[in-house]
Amino acid sequence: MKCSMFSRSSSIFLIAFSCMYSILLWYNWPYVVSDIAPYGDVAADMLLIERAQHDWLLTGHYSRFGFNHPGPFFLYLRHLADVLFGHVLPSPYSAQLLGIIAADALFTGLAAVAVAALAGPDWRASAVAATTPAFVLLIQDNGVGVLAHPWMPYELVAPFLAFVLLLAATAQGRLWMLPAAAFCGGALVHGYVPLLPFVGLPFVLVLAYLFRRARSAPDPAGLPARPLVLSGVIIALFVAPLILDMVIHPPGNLARILMAAGTITPSKGASLGDVAAFVAQFWWPVSFIHSVVPVLWIPAAVGVALAWWDHEARQAVAHVAAIAALMTLLLAFYAWRAPGPLVPFIAQFYLGVPLAVVAVTAAAGLKVAVQWAPRPVGLVVAALAVLLVSMGAFTSPGQHIAGIRVLSSGTLAHLGDSAHEGVRINFDTHDHWPMVAGLLLDLGHLGVPACVKAPHLAVLFTPERICTPSASGRNYEMIASSACGETCFARSDELGVGLSLPAKVPPYPLGRLLGFTSEDNSGRPYLTDGWSIAEGGGTFSDMAEAELVLPVEPIADSDLQLRVKAWGFIHDEQPRQEVEVIANGQPVATWAFTMSDRLGERMATIPLDVARLQQPLSIVLRIPGAASPMELDMSLDARQLGIGLQWLRLDPVSSKAAAPN
């Protein structure tokens, strides 16, 4: 009996997997054979996947809160596809798309096995019912792009659908489904850390329910050990990367996740109305992307009506409904405590719950219908499948952005014979990071070493892509295309950005006040390496050394007085911050900041002979005590903060200029 059950489940899985993979591959073949240059989240994930080529890849997709999600399962699927097919396909994205399609087909196959088991022992009824997960996902995807989609929130829909169905089948007493549920749960947690309670709590409750039922049986024999042991092994394999990451890169990504949990959780939760609207949008057709396609509720309603004629079908629907209710309560709690705003993508995975309800109710109806008229029902299902496949549009959203190739090709042409030296990219506007990620990726594909001067965004670009002080290469600036004028050697109006050489540092008239705040950032052209972006309180250094360059005019004929108003990065473990001031390579002062004096004016005298050593004047601020707030458990800020400039002024010593207000 067990052998027959395993054989039937294996056949259903292989058929469902093969059909879904073939359909998605057929519709996405133009992307597979095209040279794709993606940007944004997709490019950021592909930069992370590149770590697997030379290092341990032990974390998942980046989070907007400054950490990576727990594990690399989905990224390794893409990497495996890249290893197997990357050498015969035109771009890394083309190969990785095969991995994304394989993941969708894998979880569709597992969902089909769960539905077949819920449908009961009759092989004809279970075989027809097993088609419903594929039907539901394809209809939901048609023209929307939930399948074959490289964005992580959409990648989680199919595994969550499978997890709900497998857990319901396990709760019905089919303990052999538990390892598959553990596999789906592990993949989900790897992909998105908030899914831990959505996976862990229902999993534990189902196990507790089975143990209690086994103990209360007339002849208690306990639960079979093999599924429990296999599930434990699967869970351990998913936990292993988290442990390895803590050992190899202490304190590890898990420590950053725990820190974030305490930092980003709001003190006051969302209102009841906001929570209800947030949950309801996944059930009621507010948006075709985030809500169940309305047409799917028709077979669901018919299925519920037919299920009342069959006790086994009613039981299957009831078990899935119970799991769905628990998941809905968990979603409501998550929405109440989630850091705002409550945008749909933070819970896009939950779309798998209403889709699971649709799948099981439609399957229950098919089960009853097959018992009444097996041949006509089978023919209708086959005809619907042919119609759906022939008239559908199950394509990945276009990830090829021509503008990225325009920028990378322009860079390659501008570099000429020095392309091997690489480039160092700088950008001042955070909104430009998606284009920077795409450019870094495409330049690497073209064989040009590239890094970005943004150490505070290492979670996006990976530490390997962050420029070090010793990194070689030509410096380029990414700016808004509207600001290009005649300066950009590559420009994409489609993306709204262009690339130019760093603007020539303008002359600095002695006595001019330079601002470094977001309101007055007139000093930005004089900052070189080691500085972050301008904020309301000023511009902070983000490395242990930060440099300014001042082409002084007129040439000094006396000693110079450097005056700044600045913050010192002070914390309990280091209540004193010292900043060494080095002018043209010569130390001229040491500024100290303390708990009681963390913001204020500081001065340094630059002797005339030092000022004349080189032109333009180089001022390096060396901060041995620079530290990251993340390392100090203060916040998720990963920058190495030291000093934050609000304004700067350079005067001849003889000048009696007053301090600015």
Side-chain angles (χ1 to χ4, degrees):
M1 177 68 178
K2 287 184 179 179
C3 232
S4 171
M5 186 182 301
F6 177 78
S7 176
R8 187 179 74 174
S9 298
S10 300
S11 300
I12 288 172
F13 171 80
L14 290 174
I15 293 171
F17 175 90
S18 302
C19 289
M20 180 63 85
Y21 192 89
S22 300
I23 292 168
L24 295 180
L25 183 61
W26 172 262
Y27 275 93
N28 289 279
W29 187 251
Y31 297 107
V32 174
V33 296
S34 299
D35 187 4
I36 304 290
Y39 81 134
D41 278 22
V42 181
D45 279 344
M46 292 179 67
L47 289 173
L48 187 58
I49 291 168
E50 285 184 353
R51 301 189 76 179
Q53 299 172 4
H54 54 78
D55 195 5
W56 291 90
L57 176 57
L58 300 171
T59 60
H61 177 73
Y62 83 92
S63 165
R64 59 194 171 120
F65 295 113
F67 58 84
N68 292 91
H69 289 289
F73 173 79
F74 290 98
L75 301 183
Y76 263 119
L77 278 182
R78 299 191 202 178
H79 175 61
L80 178 61
D82 199 358
V83 170
L84 293 175
F85 306 107
H87 61 287
V88 295
L89 292 174
S91 72
Y93 177 81
S94 303
Q96 292 183 24
L97 182 57
L98 296 180
I100 296 168
I101 292 173
D104 289 330
L106 168 66
F107 293 112
T108 302
L110 292 175
V113 170
V115 169
L118 287 166
D122 182 84
W123 71 268
R124 289 179 302 183
S126 61
V128 174
T131 63
T132 57
F135 268 110
V136 166
L137 284 170
L138 289 171
I139 293 172
Q140 178 68 33
D141 175 74
N142 191 20
V144 175
V146 174
L147 297 173
H149 202 300
W151 194 35
M152 190 59 68
Y154 289 148
E155 280 196 75
L156 297 174
V157 174
F160 202 64
L161 163 71
F163 179 71
V164 170
L165 293 172
L166 287 164
L167 214 54
T170 304
Q172 269 200 311
R174 299 175 178 86
L175 196 63
W176 54 276
M177 291 279 187
L178 191 66
F183 174 78
C184 292
L188 288 165
V189 174
H190 266 214
Y192 194 45
V193 67
L195 276 165
L196 181 59
F198 288 87
V199 169
L201 182 60
F203 193 87
V204 170
L205 289 178
V206 166
L207 272 180
Y209 169 72
L210 292 174
F211 272 112
R212 182 177 179 181
R213 194 171 73 172
R215 290 182 62 183
S216 61
D219 183 20
L223 297 177
R226 184 176 295 178
L228 297 175
V229 172
L230 184 55
S231 299
V233 170
I234 291 171
I235 293 170
L237 289 174
F238 277 104
V239 171
L242 283 69
I243 305 299
L244 278 174
D245 182 55
M246 287 191 290
V247 173
I248 298 173
H249 309 119
N253 184 57
L254 186 58
R256 292 193 292 273
I257 292 174
L258 294 174
M259 185 197 312
T263 304
I264 64 179
T265 303
S267 56
K268 183 181 179 182
S271 68
L272 182 60
D274 288 342
V275 170
F278 183 75
V279 174
Q281 70 182 325
F282 295 102
W283 295 81
W284 190 252
V286 176
S287 162
F288 286 158
I289 296 178
H290 307 298
S291 311
V292 175
V293 176
V295 71
L296 285 174
W297 292 117
I298 297 174
V302 173
V304 169
L306 292 176
W308 289 114
W309 296 86
D310 186 279
H311 173 74
E312 200 169 47
R314 291 199 306 272
Q315 287 295 308
V317 173
H319 278 80
V320 173
I323 299 294
L326 176 58
M327 294 297 188
T328 303
L329 288 174
L330 289 171
L331 179 66
F333 181 80
Y334 171 54
W336 176 54
R337 300 303 296 161
L342 288 179
V343 289
F345 78 80
I346 68 171
Q348 188 65 44
F349 63 88
Y350 178 79
L351 183 60
V353 171
L355 292 180
V357 171
V358 171
V360 76
T361 50
L366 283 175
K367 175 184 186 297
V368 176
V370 167
Q371 291 173 346
W372 292 347
R375 186 179 295 275
V377 171
L379 290 174
V380 169
V381 170
L384 287 174
V386 171
L387 185 67
L388 179 62
V389 171
S390 61
M391 299 184 64
F394 318 112
T395 57
S396 172
Q399 289 298 321
H400 179 71
I401 306 299
I404 293 295
R405 188 55 51 80
V406 169
L407 296 176
S408 57
S409 299
T411 302
L412 196 62
H414 192 266
L415 287 168
D417 294 336
S418 44
H420 64 281
E421 296 177 6
V423 298
R424 294 156 52 93
I425 303 168
N426 190 33
F427 66 104
D428 292 336
T429 304
H430 183 76
D431 291 345
H432 289 171
W433 81 259
M435 284 68 80
V436 173
L439 182 58
L440 289 173
L441 185 70
D442 206 39
L443 286 174
H445 179 50
L446 296 173
V448 180
C451 65
V452 59
K453 294 194 263 185
H456 59 293
L457 294 178
V459 71
L460 277 176
F461 302 121
T462 72
E464 294 82 4
R465 292 288 190 165
I466 301 300
C467 298
T468 62
S470 59
S472 61
R474 192 171 297 181
N475 289 306
Y476 290 141
E477 299 278 343
M478 180 174 285
I479 61 176
S481 58
S482 58
C484 274
E486 301 297 324
T487 63
C488 291
F489 60 83
R491 172 176 174 167
S492 169
D493 291 324
E494 177 188 10
L495 296 175
V497 296
L499 288 173
S500 70
L501 291 170
K504 185 178 180 181
V505 181
Y508 173 75
L510 286 173
R512 181 189 174 192
L513 180 74
L514 299 178
F516 298 96
T517 66
S518 53
E519 292 77 20
D520 174 15
N521 200 16
S522 56
R524 186 72 198 182
Y526 301 94
L527 301 180
T528 58
D529 291 334
W531 297 100
S532 186
I533 59 175
E535 302 171 62
T539 300
F540 258 97
S541 60
D542 57 13
M543 298 173 66
E545 285 190 2
E547 185 181 19
L548 303 94
V549 171
L550 299 171
V552 177
E553 285 190 357
I555 303 298
D557 56 5
S558 67
D559 294 349
L560 299 176
Q561 185 180 69
L562 174 67
R563 304 167 64 195
V564 303
K565 185 175 183 181
W567 296 85
F569 179 57
I570 304 299
H571 48 91
D572 292 338
E573 296 183 17
Q574 184 172 312
R576 180 182 174 86
Q577 182 75 271
E578 293 192 348
V579 179
E580 302 172 24
V581 184
I582 301 168
N584 283 345
Q586 304 299 313
V588 295
T590 299
W591 296 333
F593 298 86
T594 62
M595 286 289 213
S596 59
D597 188 22
R598 64 177 66 197
L599 171 64
E601 290 188 33
R602 299 294 188 272
M603 293 187 292
T605 300
I606 303 173
L608 177 60
D609 58 337
V610 172
R612 287 181 170 177
L613 285 175
Q614 71 179 50
Q615 178 73 337
L617 175 65
S618 165
I619 298 174
V620 174
L621 303 180
R622 184 174 294 160
I623 314 106
S628 161
M630 179 180 287
E631 295 170 353
L632 299 168
D633 294 338
M634 296 172 62
S635 73
L636 295 175
D637 193 340
R639 295 175 296 174
Q640 295 291 316
L641 301 181
I643 184 172
L645 290 182
Q646 286 195 345
W647 56 258
L648 173 149
R649 183 170 181 163
L650 192 64
D651 295 288
V653 168
S654 58
S655 172
K656 302 296 183 182
N661 293 325

